[in-house]
Amino acid sequence: MTLHPTDSILIVDFGSQVTQLIARRVREAGVYSEIAPFNRADEAFARLQPKGIILSGGPSSVMWDDSPRAPQHFFDAGLPILAICYGQQTMAHQLGGRVAPSDNREFGRAYIDIIGESVLFDGLWHKGETHQVWMSHGDRVETLPEGFSVVAASEGAPYAVATDEMRRFFSLMFHPEVVHTPDGGKLLANFVRHVCGLPGDWTMAEYRQTKLADIRAQVGDGKVICGLSGGVDSAVAAVLIHEAIGHQLTCVFVDHGLMRQAEAEQVVSLFRNHYNIPLVHVDASDQFLGGLVGLDEPEAKRKLIGKTFIDIFEAEAAKIGGADFLAQGTLYPDVIESVSFTGGPSVTIKSHHNVGGLPERMNMQLVEPLRELFKDEVRALGRELGLPEAFVGRHPFPGPGLAIRIPGEVTKERCDILRKADAIYLEEIRNAGLYDAIWQAFAVLLPVKTVGVMGDYRTYDHVCALRAVTSTDGMTADIYPFDAAFLSRVATRIVNEVKGINRVVYDYTSKPPGTIEWE
């Protein structure tokens, strides 16, 4: 990546569930940022040459022998450093301070008293004030390293904010990245703009021009094959790559029979007729559905679909005379969730993406122009590229499609039932003017049947579950609070109009960081 590396912030991840929110807040301040796990931070530092460093929180204790550390030379690099929660503790420990278990742990809302001044507070907080923050710590700093002064304290953290203004080292015991710290985004903006001296002028227009140059440099005279899925990610990637290299790009749209209603026709019309992008339309629904026969375990379905996609791409690449590159719409959350930063289970969360590279047998390299972007940033780039709002604003749709919205075995009959129910649900959401207020809404065909009464008859049919969530970055999700009248109207339509469903339920589950799909 060649995106103005000297105008960036490096975020060192120690395993916090909300590290990605730090990147979001920094980017909201108009500054480019990247996350690197602590054990890969040296590599990212050399590549980015950042103007500042942020150390994230994490679940470890610095008193453990094998707990993660920041590369020691970061503290000698002359760069501003902001250390958050565990980051504060490891910075204090590595610079000669002392960390110990707290007798007054703090988890949740807390209040800090401002008892000193700091450039971090410029235009925001002042000595003598009290402010709400969000704490999550069991340990705390007991002795500050030489050169540090306390500028804010809470009941459970005497060094809630401690700084070495001379060396531009700033440490917080609370989490400024979460919404529960009302002024947290402004604190982070102060750090990247005032302390690190970055102008805050990173825009999608700049990203577009940079990525066009990157694509041309990577591809040269080579041929690129891009897999369209019908979603916004692959659509934006395809249009961006086409702008960069023109007819060196061929798009392959594989209709796996698992798409939403009328979606295949929309994809073909947009790319073949509107953009005049070379497009190969492959109807492989029989191949995919045949392979899914007998599979009911989610990961087995994902792997079958992924393997079949790759097989088809290889075959189509051969037909067009061979391709040197495979383009796909991998996003930053895919990358974050597919890499186990601290040995956790995240390596399997996004297994349907080839974020770790392609199988060795494929003689192609990956082109992933959206790899550094969050979903809402992809939408902004799509608008910058002039994509129709119908595509840019479309709710996310997973690569495996309806296969992971049909728990249990996937059949054509079940897909057809779900497609109809899903279309009614989305139509009612649009009719109510709610589509753009919702991040993702979809129907799920549950692997259970229930006895119901329709008119004078008893029925034994499927249960349909409805889900709708709000989100900004696709990493966390809260339910959308439909009113009872709306849900009743949708349920009545689905039961009346979709043969095979006799009961509808609504999923009221919120999700912490991680996948927001239903499996």
Side-chain angles (χ1 to χ4, degrees):
M1 178 182 169
T2 59
L3 180 65
H4 302 290
T6 55
D7 288 342
S8 63
I9 296 293
L10 172 61
I11 301 167
V12 181
D13 184 22
F14 293 111
S16 169
Q17 292 189 29
V18 292
T19 298
Q20 71 280 353
L21 294 181
I22 303 174
R24 292 290 309 131
R25 301 294 173 257
V26 172
R27 293 187 185 190
E28 287 166 3
V31 175
Y32 183 74
S33 63
E34 277 193 35
I35 299 170
F38 68 92
N39 53 2
R40 300 183 191 176
D42 275 324
E43 173 189 341
F45 183 87
R47 175 173 55 84
L48 286 174
Q49 302 172 35
K51 284 288 183 67
I53 298 169
I54 298 178
L55 306 180
S56 86
S60 302
S61 169
V62 298
M63 291 171 284
W64 300 347
D65 292 338
D66 59 349
S67 58
R69 297 285 185 270
Q72 194 67 32
H73 70 88
F74 281 14
F75 302 110
D76 301 320
L79 294 175
I81 297 178
L82 175 65
I84 298 170
C85 198
Y86 179 85
Q88 181 193 57
Q89 295 168 19
T90 193
M91 181 163 77
H93 179 81
Q94 291 181 243
L95 295 179
R98 188 173 71 89
V99 177
S102 176
D103 293 330
N104 189 357
R105 301 183 301 171
E106 293 174 303
F107 294 96
R109 185 178 291 104
Y111 294 89
I112 60 172
D113 297 319
I114 310 301
I115 58 178
E117 302 289 348
S118 172
V119 65
L120 199 63
F121 301 161
D122 281 356
L124 189 61
W125 290 350
H126 303 91
K127 187 176 180 179
E129 296 177 347
T130 298
H131 291 278
Q132 178 186 315
V133 298
W134 189 262
M135 294 279 194
S136 180
H137 69 93
D139 297 342
R140 69 181 188 185
V141 176
E142 295 284 349
T143 304
L144 290 172
E146 183 178 352
F148 277 75
S149 300
V150 58
V151 292
S154 72
E155 184 177 347
Y159 305 132
V161 181
T163 69
D164 183 334
E165 305 280 332
M166 184 71 68
R167 287 189 287 179
R168 297 185 297 173
F169 290 170
F170 305 86
S171 68
L172 314 175
M173 193 66 260
F174 60 89
H175 288 271
E177 65 272 29
V178 301
V179 296
H180 308 84
T181 299
D183 294 324
K186 296 175 183 178
L187 281 175
L188 288 167
N190 272 355
F191 176 72
V192 300
R193 300 282 295 277
H194 299 163
V195 177
C196 299
L198 294 174
D201 58 359
W202 183 68
T203 64
M204 277 301 112
E206 179 184 15
Y207 186 89
R208 173 186 183 179
Q209 295 305 316
T210 300
K211 295 313 292 185
L212 290 174
D214 285 352
I215 293 165
R216 292 173 185 137
Q218 180 185 5
V219 172
D221 297 328
K223 294 181 179 180
V224 180
I225 185 171
C226 177
L228 291 178
S229 68
V232 62
D233 306 336
S234 62
V236 172
V239 173
L240 181 65
I241 294 169
H242 184 256
E243 181 175 331
I245 61 173
H247 278 51
Q248 291 171 245
L249 169 70
T250 298
C251 288
V252 176
F253 170 51
V254 179
D255 184 354
H256 49 27
L258 304 168
M259 310 219 24
R260 290 174 289 203
Q261 187 165 288
E263 205 157 54
E265 295 84 354
Q266 294 170 4
V267 172
V268 173
S269 175
L270 178 69
F271 286 89
R272 183 175 286 166
N273 302 330
H274 182 78
Y275 280 102
N276 196 31
I277 296 176
L279 175 66
V280 177
H281 180 199
V282 183
D283 184 354
S285 54
D286 290 342
Q287 186 175 347
F288 279 91
L289 291 170
L292 288 168
V293 171
L295 296 183
D296 59 5
E297 198 274 321
E299 192 64 15
K301 291 191 287 187
R302 283 184 179 274
K303 288 180 178 178
L304 180 281
I305 292 169
K307 180 182 183 302
T308 306
F309 259 109
I310 290 175
D311 290 343
I312 292 173
F313 278 130
E314 285 184 295
E316 294 303 324
K319 290 179 183 178
I320 64 174
D324 307 289
F325 300 89
L326 172 63
Q328 59 183 27
T330 304
L331 305 190
Y332 202 33
D334 300 327
V335 177
I336 294 170
E337 293 183 342
S338 300
V339 178
S340 180
F341 288 179
T342 57
S346 59
V347 288
T348 61
I349 292 177
K350 290 286 184 179
S351 56
H352 62 288
H353 282 273
N354 298 309
V355 292
L358 295 171
E360 291 184 5
R361 74 173 192 276
M362 294 189 71
N363 189 27
M364 288 188 281
Q365 299 178 45
L366 281 173
V367 178
E368 300 174 304
L370 312 181
R371 189 180 175 92
E372 297 90 6
L373 300 182
F374 289 92
K375 185 68 137 189
D376 59 311
E377 294 171 329
V378 174
R379 297 190 196 281
L381 178 58
R383 294 184 179 97
E384 175 71 24
L385 291 165
L387 267 163
E389 189 62 32
F391 260 79
V392 174
R394 179 173 288 178
H395 288 181
F397 191 62
L402 300 181
I404 59 171
R405 294 178 180 172
I406 302 177
E409 186 176 5
V410 179
T411 65
K412 184 179 185 304
E413 178 190 11
R414 291 180 178 179
C415 288
D416 290 341
I417 292 172
L418 180 57
R419 250 188 292 270
K420 293 176 183 177
D422 189 71
I424 291 170
Y425 183 33
L426 294 179
E427 180 184 346
E428 287 295 333
I429 287 174
R430 288 189 174 95
N431 290 344
L434 300 175
Y435 190 84
D436 293 338
I438 296 170
W439 165 268
Q440 187 181 47
F442 55 87
V444 176
L445 194 66
L446 298 183
V448 294
K449 289 187 174 183
T450 182
V451 173
V453 177
M454 300 179 70
D456 296 324
Y457 297 93
R458 293 180 63 188
T459 61
Y460 184 60
D461 282 324
H462 292 281
V463 178
C464 176
L466 305 178
R467 179 156 172 76
V469 295
T470 60
S471 181
T472 299
D473 47 33
M475 300 290 287
T476 58
D478 290 323
I479 61 162
Y480 187 84
F482 289 123
D483 60 43
F486 174 87
L487 292 175
S488 176
R489 184 166 62 251
V490 173
T492 299
R493 279 199 62 191
I494 290 175
V495 170
N496 286 345
E497 299 176 32
V498 183
K499 186 177 180 179
I501 294 175
N502 69 0
R503 197 173 304 276
V504 177
V505 297
Y506 186 61
D507 175 12
Y508 284 94
T509 310
S510 296
K511 292 285 185 180
T515 180
I516 61 175
E517 292 297 344
W518 180 309
E519 292 188 331

